[in-house]
Amino acid sequence: MQLFGSVTSPYVRRVRIWALENNCDLEFINLDIFSAQDRPTMVSKNPARKIPILVDGNLTLSDSNSILRYLLEKTAQPKLTWPQEHLLTTINACNDSLVEMLLCQRSGFDTQSDALFFNLQNERIVETLHFLNDHLTDDEFKGCEYLNISLYCLLDWICFRELTDISQHSALVAFYEQYGQRQAAINTSPSH
């Protein structure tokens, strides 16, 4: 199996960490998705122009959630429960808003201006981080390694890109510091 993506993508990284921690044989192919050299490779595998992309023989999957479901099934592991899916959707919503804001910043927009799009993204980021901080100790969260991986990748990406301040979320900060000591987190670090 091959995983196409970038070292800095939190969505790619979560699949990489899961594969490392589950001894899943996955060849990682690092792409610079904005370069003239690597972009055609990404587009040929996923016309939506998004990463990660998993290729297993004739099967091509994109989206980290779909890839995880496939890998769980392939390795005969239990799938996420509906409450776990809800928590993952919350993590993804925060991550998606942060990606949109980063792309807007890189495009020269003032993301702190009073505009509906920016206001909605900023509100979503604040509220989802509060929600995740409050629910981090829930059994559904604690019992799902992929949720923990996904949350760690979100938090580390926030810190790596310096996108927002998480210091007021004590449970998230403690989780982030503890999870960051794991070997798979160290091995996949975008600054590594």
Side-chain angles (χ1 to χ4, degrees), residues 133-150:
N133 188 70
D134 291 345
H135 292 277
L136 189 56
T137 58
D138 291 0
D139 288 340
E140 289 291 340
F141 204 106
K142 291 190 305 187
C144 181
E145 187 58 25
Y146 191 69
L147 285 177
N148 286 270
I149 292 168
S150 298

Side-chain angles (χ1 to χ4, degrees), residues 5-182:
S6 72
V7 172
T8 56
S9 167
Y11 296 104
V12 173
R13 189 177 183 199
R14 62 172 70 166
V15 175
R16 291 177 64 211
I17 290 175
W18 186 91
L20 284 170
E21 292 193 343
N22 287 277
N23 298 315
C24 184
D25 188 22
L26 196 60
E27 176 189 4
F28 175 59
I29 298 160
N30 185 31
L31 301 175
D32 178 351
I33 61 171
F34 297 111
S35 77
Q37 178 183 346
D38 289 350
R39 193 156 182 81
T41 301
M42 177 184 65
V43 172
S44 72
K45 308 251 181 253
N46 183 5
R49 294 163 162 76
K50 293 178 80 173
I51 52 174
I53 304 161
L54 179 79
V55 176
D56 186 11
N58 293 328
L59 177 66
T60 300
L61 294 171
S62 56
D63 184 74
S64 58
N65 294 350
S66 297
I67 292 169
L68 171 72
R69 286 185 197 104
Y70 177 73
L71 293 174
L72 288 173
E73 185 176 298
K74 189 173 178 88
T75 58
Q77 294 188 42
K79 58 185 177 180
L80 273 61
T81 65
W82 287 116
Q84 289 167 341
E85 289 278 355
H86 174 67
L87 289 164
L88 182 59
T89 299
T90 304
I91 292 168
N92 290 344
C94 185
N95 218 146
D96 290 345
S97 288
L98 286 159
V99 167
E100 296 293 334
M101 295 296 272
L102 179 64
L103 290 173
C104 287
Q105 287 171 4
R106 288 184 172 180
S107 297
F109 295 107
D110 175 7
T111 58
Q112 297 306 313
S113 66
D114 186 16
L116 178 61
F117 180 78
F118 301 137
N119 291 340
L120 289 173
Q121 303 315 310
N122 286 316
E123 289 172 12
R124 182 176 294 138
I125 293 163
V126 168
E127 293 305 319
T128 55
L129 289 173
H130 283 301
F131 178 86
L132 293 167
N133 188 70
D134 291 345
H135 292 277
L136 189 56
T137 58
D138 291 0
D139 288 340
E140 289 291 340
F141 204 106
K142 291 190 305 187
C144 181
E145 187 58 25
Y146 191 69
L147 285 177
N148 286 270
I149 292 168
S150 298
L151 178 61
Y152 174 75
C153 291
L154 165 66
L155 297 174
D156 195 51
W157 191 73
I158 287 171
C159 294
F160 176 70
R161 295 291 187 196
E162 300 175 345
L163 293 170
T164 192
D165 180 18
I166 63 168
S167 63
Q168 70 274 21
H169 303 290
S170 58
L172 292 179
V173 170
F175 168 84
Y176 173 67
E177 290 171 354
Q178 181 181 12
Y179 198 97
Q181 297 174 23
R182 294 172 81 153

